[in-house]
Amino acid sequence: MGVITERVTPQAVRGERIARLGLFMRRHQGSIAALQWAVVLCYLAMVVVPVFLPLPSADTRIWGSFTRFTQFMFWGVWWPCVVLSIMVFGRAWCGLLCPEGTITEWVSWYGLGLGIPRWMKWPGWPFVTFIGVALYGQMISLHQFPAATLLILGGSTVAAVVVGLLYGRGKRVWCRHLCPVWGVFALLARVAPVHFSVDRAAWDGAPSGARTSRRHPVNCAPLINIRRMESAAACHMCGRCAGERGAVQLALRSPTAEILSVTAPETGYRADASNLWLAWLLVFGMIGAAQGAFQWAVSPWFAAADQAAAAWLGAHGVSWLLHPSGHWWILIDYPRSGHVFTWLDGGMLVAYIAAEAVIVGGWVGGWTWLAAMLCELPWWRMASVFSFFSGANLFVGSILLAWSQDTGAVSLPRWAAVVCMGLLTLAALCGAALAGRLARHHRASATLAVLAAAALPLGAWAVEFFVWRKL
Ligand code: SF4
């Protein structure tokens, strides 16, 4: 008698390994908690200690000062790595490492445990808080001065503690509703090739009360209805629900799967309103405003407009606008190191970022709207094809910022400019290809419209790389 052997494909082996990794995470929550508290300690040291040290001089490199080192670690390593990691591993940063998430969840065990108020569920918060922090961060130079870093990051942590003490019991209400980057992370997590998948039929078919371990009932800190979870947008990848009812497992998927499917993020909001606000955030925030925030410091247009406005104001006797604010927490004000912003500088900075958000975001949004019209799809759905591009935008911008901060140089090696442009162009092409796949008809037109949409932000980057950062 012949023996029938079942052929095991490499994909099946990979899937099995990934699923086992999810179960491993569930079994080792104690080790994950230890890791999280170690990160909390490092984070507190890096945010608080530099405030008590003297400001480094402009030519100090990262190994010459703890302050310069922490700036580089925050903005040159941490932020770009978080952006990249979310596009690859989903929001594992949130669930496994984020100090604010750890603290807010912990304090909420001992707080009032109130219900989440209605105002906090407004779906526009991700847009408003991201834009607000991006603007304010530039006004006080979040990336450059320790006091500004403490004010914004520390302030956010204090707010997370307050929300944790007031609302929820052992939950991350702050992360779910108010964290300034939750919308950004939700959008980027949609393209992650790793996620926790839920088999709803298996869930429903499991005997009631069935759990993989009685000792670990699931506490989904970001308040997700796990049975109904279809999107990776809100999942913190903590692993606590892995294996639950034999229906939840860590799994691989195509990075485009979620964009091409008609899922709505598990946000607790009405799907349309939530998706619309997230699309605004993607187009006007992560592409338009972010590009303005990354570019103003090297833009000769900004410098020229600022000088022209100063000359005009001086000639017309409006001198108060040419004075510094006198407070570093309103506008950059460090006379000893020669960094001082006048009211005019601050106003011009806000105007420049707002103008780039409106012009670039409006251009991208307009072409996307045209593509959506042609394909008879909702605008927010077509806008989601820019997920890869928006992630690349944030990644490249942060790397450039760190480069300028560490070297003190504006110019960029040619190879670095070419690599950055290549990455952005690839991300734009991915978006165009996705538009073609999303479209039920007029595929070529949708693809071309998305390419046209990407042309302006790409052109703006090209001007920065090859003209402003003269090679
Ligand atoms: S659904 Fe909730 S419990 Fe499960 S991995 Fe995501 S965040 Fe953790």
Side-chain angles (χ1 to χ4, degrees), residues 37 56 87 105 133 148 172-173 239 251 270 275 327 359-360 424 448 450:
W37 284 105
M87 294 175 80
E105 181 180 342
V133 169
R172 297 185 174 201
V173 174
R270 220 161 44 81
N275 281 318
H327 303 290
I359 294 170
V360 174
L424 289 159
L448 285 175
V450 168

Side-chain angles (χ1 to χ4, degrees), residues 196 218-222 224 226 229 234-242:
F196 276 96
V218 176
N219 170 30
C220 178
I224 293 171
I226 301 170
M229 182 169 73
C235 173
H236 283 201
M237 302 288 283
C238 67
R240 293 177 197 172
C241 63

